[in-house]
Amino acid sequence: MPPAIEANGLTKTYGDVRVLDALDLHVPRGTVFALLGPNGAGKTTTVRILATLTTPDAGHARVAGHDVVTARSRVRRAISLTGQFAAVDEAQTGAENLWTAARLSGLSRPAAARRAAELLDRFGLTEAGGRLTKTYSGGMRRRLDLAAGLVRDPGATQVMFLDEPTTGLDPRSRQELWQAVRELSDAGTTVFLTTQYLEEADRLADRIAVLGRGRTLAEGTPAELKARYAAHRLDVVASDEESYARLTDRTIHAATRDPGTRTLGIPTDGSAAHVRELLDVLDPGRRDIARFGLHTATLDDVFLTLTEDKEPSHV
Ligand SMILES: Nc1ncnc2c1ncn2[C@@H]1O[C@H](COP(=O)(O)OP(=O)(O)OP(=O)(O)O)[C@@H](O)[C@H]1O
Ligand SMILES: [Mg+2]
């Protein structure tokens, strides 16, 4: 079985801005993949290429085993997409919008009505379902758009694209969406989502890629990314020069060394057990370390560090 998504060297330029610069992606089937990146990083552009809404200038991508340029209709049959910008028909009610989407996805009339009612209920829109969507608030539209994206029988959707699905949602709706993603994933659908929220990626995704400067700056499981880029750091301050020398000798790898302040920074997972062990190994006689401090980095720190340079690269 080919992977759900395989992209090699995707490149896309708008004007003189290279939005994607030889982007590679690999998403195994049945997994949840989160693409993170600051505004303008190219997340929506990536989703649009993978969902066949736009073509890459160079590179190739296959979704559900089909080429996104030469086999567009096959890709389209295998995917569902909910975009960053709601595509609801203002002149229809919420229920009608969902019913139409369900019919378009091939459900019979009664099945479409059942599905619409289910989704309205799930996203807290049952009462509003009979109202024209032009009267909906921003968050209600967002929910309706998501519901429309979930209308297809999960069995028929091999890959679900969700572009910033929870932006602008209230906490309860966000939980609903998270639950919906988990259910889709349990049913075997591969989920490709973009988000600004690391917490969300952390909770939902099997793997995360951080997009910046048109490429993936980092890729891995949430735990790997934290361990690699956001591990805690134990800073130990030596009592005096000799102590600093002894600590340096006993340190296998220090993240930072500052002889001026006699401080060594040592990576740790931050657990009490590991910190104790480090202190014991570094200072068995309990006289070389005068003070220590534990610095907690979060995935947000990783994200900010990795994406500091927000400017897209110019061609
Ligand atoms: N059709 C277009 N024409 C010109 N420039 C575009 C077009 N689409 C996107 N861009 C530019 O490409 C860059 C990436 O846009 P994209 O929408 O992919 O970013 P994003 O990561 O989804 O950002 P956001 O977090 O704000 O949604 C931006 O600089 C944007 O202005
Ligand atoms: Mg976007």
Side-chain angles (χ1 to χ4, degrees):
M1 283 280 260
I5 299 171
E6 180 85 78
N8 293 303
L10 286 186
T11 300
K12 183 78 180 177
T13 303
Y14 286 115
D16 66 348
V17 179
R18 181 156 290 174
V19 179
L20 299 181
D21 186 14
L23 177 72
D24 296 332
L25 290 170
H26 178 91
V27 182
R29 279 182 193 252
T31 60
V32 178
F33 188 89
L35 190 65
L36 287 166
N39 291 140
K43 301 181 297 296
T44 297
T45 304
T46 305
V47 168
R48 287 177 54 83
I49 290 173
L50 295 176
T52 78
L53 299 178
T54 189
T55 53
D57 300 334
H60 295 280
R62 299 177 84 81
V63 172
H66 310 297
D67 189 284
V68 297
V69 176
T70 60
R72 279 173 66 177
S73 48
R74 287 188 184 185
V75 171
R76 287 185 179 194
R77 278 198 295 274
I79 66 171
S80 283
L81 166 71
T82 81
Q84 187 171 15
F85 304 103
V88 297
D89 182 346
E90 304 239 305
Q92 289 193 338
T93 66
E96 284 163 355
N97 264 290
L98 289 184
W99 188 82
T100 309
R103 288 289 287 153
L104 285 173
S105 84
L107 294 187
S108 66
R109 283 162 176 272
R114 269 199 307 277
R115 190 85 182 115
E118 247 169 57
L119 287 163
L120 286 172
D121 178 47
R122 158 165 229 171
F123 285 93
L125 292 169
T126 302
E127 273 178 41
R131 266 167 42 200
L132 293 185
T133 46
K134 68 177 166 211
T135 69
Y136 281 22
S137 72
M140 289 162 78
R141 276 165 202 249
R142 191 86 200 94
R143 270 142 52 194
L144 185 66
D145 184 46
L146 287 167
L150 295 170
V151 97
R152 269 178 88 175
D153 166 17
T157 303
Q158 295 186 49
V159 184
M160 176 88 193
F161 290 96
L162 298 165
D163 192 8
E164 293 199 28
T166 59
T167 301
L169 290 190
D170 61 37
R172 197 191 69 90
S173 306
R174 176 165 298 178
Q175 299 269 354
E176 289 291 342
L177 193 270
W178 286 352
Q179 187 54 33
V181 168
R182 287 195 195 98
E183 282 168 21
L184 272 173
S185 174
D186 290 346
T189 302
T190 306
V191 179
F192 185 100
L193 64 96
T194 74
T195 178
Q196 305 274 356
Y197 305 108
L198 280 144
E199 186 209 349
E200 182 163 291
D202 197 3
R203 279 181 188 226
L204 290 180
D206 298 300
R207 297 188 76 79
I208 297 176
V210 181
L211 192 62
R213 299 186 287 281
R215 290 167 179 256
T216 42
L217 301 176
E219 208 259 334
T221 65
E224 279 167 3
L225 289 180
K226 280 188 212 161
R228 211 180 315 152
Y229 299 99
H232 303 249
R233 198 183 75 229
L234 178 71
D235 282 348
V236 297
V237 183
S239 313
D240 51 37
E241 297 300 323
E242 290 88 73
S243 293
Y244 182 71
R246 280 195 290 274
L247 289 177
T248 309
D249 283 348
R250 294 186 200 117
T251 302
I252 297 165
H253 55 251
T256 57
R257 291 166 197 268
D258 183 356
T261 58
R262 302 194 300 268
T263 306
L264 289 174
I266 294 126
T268 166
D269 62 9
S271 66
H274 191 234
V275 170
R276 268 197 200 103
E277 186 188 319
L278 277 176
L279 291 173
D280 285 341
V281 168
L282 288 169
D283 188 11
R286 302 196 173 189
R287 62 197 160 104
D288 290 334
I289 296 174
R291 293 191 307 282
F292 72 86
L294 189 63
H295 298 270
T296 312
T298 63
L299 261 184
D300 280 312
D301 293 325
V302 184
F303 179 71
L304 289 171
T305 315
L306 285 169
T307 59
E308 221 161 15
D309 172 17
K310 282 194 191 170
E311 285 299 301
S313 60
H314 286 261
V315 180

